[in-house]
Amino acid sequence: MKVLSLICAVLLLCLESSAQAFPKSGFSTQPTLQDESSQSALGSIEPTLDSSVSSAKKFSLYQPIAVSKRSYGSFSIGYSQSHIKAQQVSLIDGVSNSRVDRDFSQIAHGVFFGLERGVHWHNFMLGGYINGVAAQDYSLSFGVRTSYLVARYVIPSVGISWGMQHIKFPNDIKQYNIHGASFNAGIFVNLVRGFGLKLEGSYSYPLVILRGVDARNYGDPVFSGYSFVVSLCMYDFSI
């Protein structure tokens, strides 16, 4: 009996020690280190995705023009084609070297640039501008323009200016200046926040030779002209 009691006591001690060494298995409610790292990684990804989405929206096309001040400015650069003509110009004949009355016509292409600065009230815009062309002919004009901002996407405009342009006549190595009034109309179509495409057309009349002596040599001609311009343009309403 004593031996049996001793054996039972030894078995109980073994069971208690094994229970302490291996606790009961189950699902722990406390987060592990791996779970905490995964949650932190997910947390860092979420703001990155949000910022990417917001930046994509910010730089998407067809956003309207941003308007923050009462003044504005614009810059244009593009292509110009002009046509100058007159009737009964006393031109030099290449054969007889004498003066002959003939019709005159000249077409020229060039690089166009334009600057405008003005103010606006309730989408109505009024500004002064300077336009220039350089290449086959050279011209410079100063004027005023009225425009209207339609839904911050489209800007139609009309204007009037005074301009001066170089001109050459057949069989004459000299260059002459003609000057006069010009009337223009255009439309700007926004693509993204003030950057877009602008189309302009102008008509000039009357244009006369600047120096009186040269005008009399060519019979005091009166010229008329028209031009067409397509350009990339930027409007800024924050300056």
Side-chain angles (χ1 to χ4, degrees):
M1 289 296 294
K2 292 182 178 180
V3 175
L4 184 59
S5 300
L6 182 60
I7 293 173
C8 291
V10 172
L11 289 175
L12 288 174
L13 291 174
C14 292
L15 290 173
E16 290 178 0
S17 62
S18 62
Q20 294 175 359
F22 300 98
K24 293 181 180 180
S25 61
F27 294 99
S28 176
T29 58
Q30 299 296 326
T32 62
L33 181 60
Q34 182 178 3
D35 295 336
E36 292 178 354
S37 61
S38 300
Q39 291 177 0
S40 62
L42 289 174
S44 62
I45 290 174
E46 288 177 355
T48 304
L49 292 175
D50 293 339
S51 61
S52 300
V53 172
S54 62
S55 61
K57 291 181 179 179
K58 182 178 179 181
F59 293 103
S60 61
L61 292 179
Y62 309 115
Q63 288 193 356
I65 300 172
V67 179
S68 60
K69 291 186 178 181
R70 289 294 183 184
S71 60
Y72 73 92
S74 73
F75 171 74
S76 305
I77 184 167
Y79 165 79
S80 170
Q81 178 177 309
S82 65
H83 186 193
I84 301 293
K85 62 181 180 179
Q87 295 179 347
Q88 300 299 312
V89 182
S90 181
L91 301 175
I92 301 174
D93 184 75
V95 179
S96 62
N97 203 28
S98 60
R99 296 280 179 173
V100 179
D101 290 341
R102 294 177 181 174
D103 292 344
F104 173 80
S105 179
Q106 174 182 288
I107 297 176
H109 311 270
V111 177
F112 170 86
F113 70 89
L115 294 171
E116 184 177 347
R117 190 77 165 90
V119 294
H120 68 97
W121 309 269
H122 304 291
N123 297 332
F124 177 79
M125 302 161 56
L126 177 64
Y129 68 91
I130 175 173
N131 290 342
V133 176
Q136 293 181 344
D137 66 338
Y138 298 90
S139 65
L140 191 65
S141 60
F142 305 87
V144 293
R145 176 181 291 142
T146 61
S147 311
Y148 191 81
L149 180 59
V150 181
R152 294 197 294 164
Y153 276 99
V154 178
I155 303 178
S157 62
V158 293
I160 183 172
S161 67
W162 174 87
M164 184 169 61
Q165 179 175 345
H166 287 293
I167 193 171
K168 290 188 67 175
F169 295 108
N171 306 311
D172 192 343
I173 61 173
K174 296 181 180 179
Q175 286 189 346
Y176 301 91
N177 292 324
I178 58 175
H179 68 109
S182 178
F183 309 89
N184 66 76
I187 186 169
F188 167 81
V189 179
N190 175 66
L191 293 180
V192 52
R193 289 194 176 276
F195 291 90
L197 188 67
K198 189 173 186 179
L199 304 176
E200 295 180 78
S202 66
Y203 176 74
S204 302
Y205 185 86
L207 299 172
V208 297
I209 299 177
L210 184 62
R211 294 186 59 191
V213 175
D214 298 329
R216 288 189 291 272
N217 288 336
Y218 279 93
D220 292 314
V222 178
F223 301 86
S224 64
Y226 61 87
S227 64
F228 174 77
V229 174
V230 55
S231 63
L232 295 175
C233 180
M234 178 198 72
Y235 275 90
D236 189 351
F237 286 82
S238 64
I239 60 177

